[in-house]
Amino acid sequence: MHWMFLILAVVGEVLGTTLMKLIVEEGYLLYGTLVAVAMVGLSYLLLSRATLRIPITLANAFWEGMGMVLIALMSLLWLGEQITGYQAAGLLLALIGVALTNYGHYCRQDAEEVT
């Protein structure tokens, strides 16, 4: 259940950022800002629920890394923005960082179970 909270936190962050961009582009700066604040606030609430069982290091790496990658994909596929090769490399490194953080967490758990 805590992973579901974490995934929903990522979705909230991605939706908030994407909707903010769309609403502000239509000329509604205040409404775009309010949507972003509300969605990111909801995202933090969900993140806090997730960290009741998931270590904060792992949860934050997942939330930030996956959020960044998904926002970049939304901007590319839905908003028509471009991503350079350097940006794509940075996104790949972010995914590698999330994977390594996750792997390190489970390696530590296995070592604690052995002792």
Side-chain angles (χ1 to χ4, degrees):
M1 186 66 175
H2 291 80
W3 278 99
M4 183 59 69
F5 286 128
L6 185 53
I7 289 167
L8 289 173
V10 171
V11 170
E13 178 190 16
V14 172
L15 280 176
T17 303
T18 305
L19 289 173
M20 175 198 61
K21 169 80 172 170
L22 291 171
I23 294 168
V24 168
E25 280 184 343
E26 293 295 318
Y28 300 104
L29 178 62
L30 179 62
Y31 293 131
T33 303
L34 291 174
V35 166
V37 168
M39 292 303 293
V40 170
L42 176 63
S43 181
Y44 268 102
L45 285 172
L46 292 164
L47 179 63
S48 69
R49 290 284 299 174
T51 59
L52 292 174
R53 293 277 178 118
I54 301 170
I56 189 72
T57 303
L58 179 58
N60 194 54
F62 184 87
W63 183 65
E64 291 288 343
M66 295 307 294
M68 179 176 48
V69 169
L70 291 174
I71 289 168
L73 287 175
M74 291 294 285
S75 71
L76 177 69
L77 300 174
W78 196 27
L79 302 175
E81 297 179 358
Q82 299 298 314
I83 295 177
T84 67
Y86 288 118
Q87 290 170 318
L91 294 170
L92 179 62
L93 287 173
L95 287 174
I96 291 169
V98 170
L100 287 173
T101 302
N102 193 17
Y103 180 71
H105 167 71
Y106 288 109
C107 285
R108 187 185 57 149
Q109 267 187 336
D110 287 344
E112 288 175 356
E113 289 174 6
V114 171
T115 56

